[in-house]
Amino acid sequence: MELLESCNMCPRNCGVNRLKDKIGYCGAGKNIRVARAALHYWEEPCISGSIGSGTVFFSYCTLKCVFCQNYNISQCSYGKEITIERLAEIFLELQGKGALNINLVTPTHYVPQIIEALKIAKKKGLKLPVIYNSSGYEKVEIIKLLKGYIDVYLPDMKYFDTKYSIKYSKAKDYFLYAKEAIDEMVNQVGEVKFDKNGIIKKGVIIRHLMLPGLLFDSKKIIDYIYCTYGNKVYISIMNQYTPLEHVKIYPELNRPLNQKHYEALIDYAVSIGVENGFIQEEGTDKESFIPLFNFEGV
């Protein structure tokens, strides 16, 4: 917890004293804030299965993408403050509901509290795999702290070209940090392993949400992942981009994804040899696929 005295949990390196509730770029203070903790059915099949993933949606974000589909909780302070002890209880409650795993969504800025909560929950019988579901904008030294606590890493790799990471996430160094963090994740947990029912137990799935007009950048991302890791990781190529109200000031993003561009990206991935991956059907670009942040389970 002393890491929060001069918070450098993410590449923003704000240095604020969060133990005294000073606020940096992400918006988080000393206490954990959560908007939803429930079974979630819309992750990759190996994560949600038919039973559901035990997702905990944390409020605030270190990246704050302009097109964020969880905008209300990532950038609008929406959520309920809870203690570390309560977070441990939530993990156990999700296990009691039959969750296949504990899925930590946007957890970076709460890593110290999450580690403490996992320690408590494991002592009380938590046995589920733990998934670290993040933007990919991470520091290697923070990922190293998670060794032994995280079984599955589910990072995004959003941008290859700096001009896009600056424009849409104010992060000129996004790709540099993401590739180094993902390398540590892969080294830490190794190749992907599934149980007899096809549910993931260990490994890394790298997500890429395709954005309108960025087919070339997306190809570079797929190229990098496959050339670096081959089929040691899984790639999840996503078409669920949904242009919400707050993206209207970016006309190039204020439109649905071109399905033909998405299909071209899939064809490209197959052509270079990608075998381990997930794709999405049409119809996922609807607001109905965005979870209700109603404090369920909090």
Side-chain angles (χ1 to χ4, degrees):
M1 293 295 290
E2 65 270 12
L3 290 171
L4 301 182
E5 283 186 322
S6 179
C7 186
N8 293 307
M9 299 300 300
C10 82
R12 304 286 184 189
N13 292 318
C14 297
V16 299
N17 189 343
R18 285 173 55 192
L19 293 181
K20 293 188 176 179
D21 278 327
K22 300 297 182 183
I23 302 300
Y25 185 89
C26 71
K30 173 177 62 177
N31 297 321
I32 308 158
R33 189 180 286 264
V34 174
R36 178 182 173 89
L39 296 179
H40 189 54
Y41 303 95
W42 303 328
E43 305 284 40
E44 287 76 4
C46 67
I47 294 175
S48 291
S50 60
I51 297 173
S53 174
T55 51
V56 181
F57 287 90
F58 293 96
S59 302
Y60 303 118
C61 180
T62 62
L63 203 54
K64 296 186 179 180
C65 304
V66 299
F67 52 83
C68 182
Q69 302 184 15
N70 293 344
Y71 185 85
N72 286 342
I73 65 170
S74 67
Q75 299 175 48
C76 297
S77 305
Y78 192 78
K80 179 180 178 181
E81 285 195 357
I82 62 171
T83 64
I84 289 171
E85 291 74 19
R86 175 59 191 145
L87 182 59
E89 289 175 358
I90 286 172
F91 295 158
L92 292 167
E93 287 169 6
L94 289 169
Q95 180 171 266
K97 292 175 182 176
L100 296 171
N101 42 61
I102 299 298
N103 187 351
L104 309 169
V105 182
T106 322
T108 308
H109 41 296
Y110 295 122
V111 163
Q113 298 98 317
I114 288 169
I115 289 175
E116 292 304 312
L118 285 171
K119 287 178 181 177
I120 295 169
K122 285 176 180 290
K123 285 181 180 178
K124 293 184 176 181
L126 180 68
K127 300 184 185 304
L128 297 178
V130 179
I131 299 176
Y132 190 84
N133 183 341
S134 90
S135 70
Y137 195 46
E138 305 279 356
K139 295 172 72 172
V140 168
E141 53 265 43
I142 301 303
I143 300 301
K144 286 182 176 179
L145 291 177
L146 292 163
K147 186 174 183 179
Y149 295 100
I150 301 300
D151 303 284
V152 178
Y153 284 101
L154 187 61
D156 293 338
M157 187 166 261
K158 295 179 182 290
Y159 318 101
F160 186 91
D161 196 314
T162 298
K163 68 183 178 185
Y164 300 125
S165 64
I166 291 173
K167 185 173 185 180
Y168 301 134
S169 297
K170 294 185 173 63
K172 65 180 180 180
D173 47 9
Y174 174 83
F175 182 74
L176 173 64
Y177 276 101
K179 72 174 186 176
E180 290 181 350
I182 289 171
D183 205 46
E184 171 61 24
M185 294 172 185
V186 175
N187 289 336
Q188 206 176 96
V189 297
E191 293 190 25
V192 176
K193 295 181 180 177
F194 303 98
D195 68 12
K196 63 181 181 180
N197 297 313
I199 302 301
I200 193 166
K201 293 298 180 184
K202 208 167 190 63
V204 178
I205 301 174
I206 303 172
R207 283 176 165 174
H208 176 65
L209 174 66
M210 193 178 187
L211 297 176
L214 297 193
L215 175 58
F216 187 63
D217 199 66
S218 290
K219 285 183 175 180
K220 287 185 174 182
I221 291 287
I222 302 303
D223 249 341
Y224 172 79
I225 296 171
Y226 184 68
C227 290
T228 305
Y229 301 111
N231 286 303
K232 189 175 183 179
V233 303
Y234 273 64
I235 306 175
S236 183
I237 306 175
M238 306 169 74
N239 70 349
Q240 67 186 55
Y241 175 77
T242 305
L244 300 177
E245 184 70 24
H246 55 272
V247 85
K248 284 186 175 178
I249 60 172
Y250 297 89
E252 72 277 19
L253 295 181
N254 192 27
R255 56 194 171 107
L257 183 66
N258 186 320
Q259 183 64 21
K260 290 184 178 179
H261 288 181
Y262 180 67
E263 291 169 2
L265 182 61
I266 294 169
D267 290 343
Y268 179 74
V270 171
S271 74
I272 64 172
V274 174
E275 296 177 1
N276 293 342
F278 298 96
I279 60 174
Q280 293 181 309
E281 298 177 352
E282 288 189 66
T284 59
D285 57 339
K286 294 181 173 61
E287 291 189 44
S288 59
F289 283 91
I290 299 172
L292 291 174
F293 299 119
N294 55 4
F295 303 155
E296 181 181 352
V298 181

